[in-house]
Amino acid sequence: MELPRAHGAPPLTGRLRAEPADFEVEEERGFEPSGQGEHAFLIIEKTGANTEWVARQLAAAAGVAPVAVGYAGLKDRHAVTRQAFTVQLSGRADPDWSALAIPGVQVLSAARHDRKLKRGAHRGNRFRIRLRDVRGERAAAETQLEAIRARGVPNYFGEQRFGTDRRNLALAEALFAGRRLPREQRGFALSAARSELFNAVLARRVSDDSWDRALDGEVWMLAGSNAIFGPEPWNEDLARRLAAFDIDPTGPLWGAGELRSAAAVRALELAAIEPLAPLARGLEREDLGQQRRALRLRPGDLAWSWEGEDRLVLDFRLPAGAFATVVLREVFDAPDPQG
């Protein structure tokens, strides 16, 4: 699916992830380990390593089952990332984490914690991304970046959600056709199907420039939370809160049950998913209910600097569940070796 951009054609081209250090990700948790409990709480720096692979290596090093290892989110493989893991030791002493011999993995700190880290437990992520071999108009790029800082970007699901060659969508189609999948593959398939439908709805709203403004029948999400409300009549208070980024319009994460949206929004959503009806019907048969996701994403603390003539460094933070690549695509046309 070709996803329209909100800020026009990207003014720059370049290379993304020429080396892992060009894409740095630091998890922001919003809490500290408790200092006691049966879980080791590890801050790990990994380079060129998959989060799930690291979790399995930690389990092997501690002599526990893989299910005893927890983490808040999957982090990019082709990057340098810092994130927390927990390892349930159940009465065991801590291994010598400083002597851990896992390629590309370094334990930065270790403490004790009273519970397993669950997916989505972190507040967000901070990014530092370096684009190399940059070509294009600097002035136009900086104008575009100012627009992104002021208005945000469409909160698309990134290509990573769909897997290499969009194979997770192929898994979804196989699942909905009756094929049994392992639990992990089933999760990837359902997430990809939901993401494809959400992106289709958001693409419609980007095309008509309504992705960050109110339509009749809107459902709103409180910024920094998953709490939703509406529809309700448009008024000055909603207008003020929308302009202040206190609330965002939402689109559907498809599942069983009625859409919460109404009027123009509901009609647009139903029209957008109609070409993808087999995915929608498949999701309705699974154990998933209708949910909502914000249509608008505003990068926090967005800043940029130039290194010489052909390198641009971007710094910003995003909430959990958001994709850095959907920010980049609004200003760069740079093929992503990972996506």
Side-chain angles (χ1 to χ4, degrees):
M1 180 191 305
E2 184 65 30
L3 301 175
R5 292 174 167 88
H7 297 281
L12 300 178
T13 61
R15 285 197 299 148
L16 179 63
R17 302 186 209 252
E19 55 186 65
D22 288 345
F23 203 101
E24 295 183 51
V25 187
E26 179 149 9
E27 189 173 77
E28 297 186 325
R29 295 175 302 282
F31 66 92
E32 295 299 325
S34 65
Q36 59 185 6
E38 65 177 8
H39 299 264
F41 190 98
L42 309 176
I43 304 300
I44 298 282
E45 181 177 282
K46 63 182 186 65
T47 302
N50 178 283
T51 298
E52 293 169 319
W53 179 82
V54 171
R56 291 194 295 271
Q57 301 308 304
L58 292 174
V64 299
V67 72
V69 179
Y71 49 85
L74 297 172
K75 297 293 184 288
D76 300 78
R77 176 182 178 183
H78 301 286
V80 175
T81 69
R82 289 171 288 278
Q83 69 179 117
F85 291 80
T86 56
V87 183
Q88 187 173 12
L89 296 173
S90 300
R92 293 178 173 86
D94 280 79
D96 182 0
W97 297 114
S98 65
L100 198 67
I102 302 175
V105 173
Q106 180 183 1
V107 177
L108 301 180
S109 67
R112 282 283 181 151
H113 196 49
D114 54 3
R115 67 188 65 184
K116 180 181 180 179
L117 265 179
K118 294 184 177 180
R119 297 287 289 273
H122 60 312
R123 182 173 60 195
N125 297 291
R126 174 174 280 281
F127 296 86
R128 166 162 282 195
I129 299 171
R130 178 176 289 101
L131 193 76
R132 296 175 184 264
D133 300 332
V134 173
R135 297 291 182 269
E137 293 293 328
R138 283 196 183 194
E142 295 194 2
T143 297
Q144 204 101 315
L145 286 165
E146 291 285 3
I148 290 169
R149 183 154 58 188
R151 190 179 177 190
V153 300
N155 191 22
Y156 290 122
F157 286 98
E159 283 301 312
Q160 302 97 309
R161 177 57 59 94
F162 304 102
T164 305
D165 298 325
R166 294 170 67 82
R167 62 187 176 197
N168 292 343
L169 274 179
L171 284 175
E173 292 166 356
L175 175 67
F176 299 153
R179 178 179 166 188
R180 294 179 65 85
L181 296 177
R183 180 179 178 181
E184 182 177 308
Q185 285 191 345
R186 181 177 179 274
F188 288 148
L190 294 176
S191 292
R194 272 186 145 185
S195 301
E196 182 79 347
L197 294 178
F198 176 87
N199 279 1
V201 170
L202 179 50
R204 288 284 185 105
R205 296 197 59 166
V206 173
S207 293
D208 67 14
D209 201 32
S210 69
W211 61 279
D212 63 344
R213 62 182 177 87
L215 298 179
D216 190 22
E218 203 74 70
V219 180
W220 302 99
M221 180 170 287
L222 294 173
S225 78
N226 291 319
I228 61 174
F229 67 96
E232 60 185 62
W234 181 244
N235 56 50
E236 290 184 3
D237 182 58
L238 289 176
R240 176 187 59 79
R241 295 176 69 187
L242 177 63
F245 288 87
D246 181 50
I247 59 174
D248 295 298
T250 64
L253 295 174
W254 207 266
E258 285 295 313
L259 278 171
R260 181 159 176 162
S261 55
V265 173
R266 182 186 179 94
L268 182 151
E269 291 173 352
L270 291 173
I273 66 98
E274 182 56 34
L276 301 168
L279 293 180
R281 303 293 87 80
L283 285 166
E284 290 165 10
R285 293 192 297 268
E286 298 294 328
D287 189 22
L288 296 168
Q290 289 278 353
Q291 295 178 305
R292 308 290 293 186
R293 173 181 168 92
L295 297 179
R296 179 173 66 166
L297 173 64
R298 189 187 193 189
D301 300 331
L302 175 62
W304 55 89
S305 60
W306 296 90
E307 294 180 343
E309 294 298 317
D310 65 350
R311 294 183 186 179
L312 178 60
V313 178
L314 285 176
D315 290 278
F316 56 90
R317 52 167 36 106
L318 295 178
F323 291 79
T325 50
V326 307
V327 178
L328 298 179
R329 72 187 298 273
E330 291 289 335
V331 70
F332 302 131
D333 186 8
D336 186 349
Q338 183 178 357

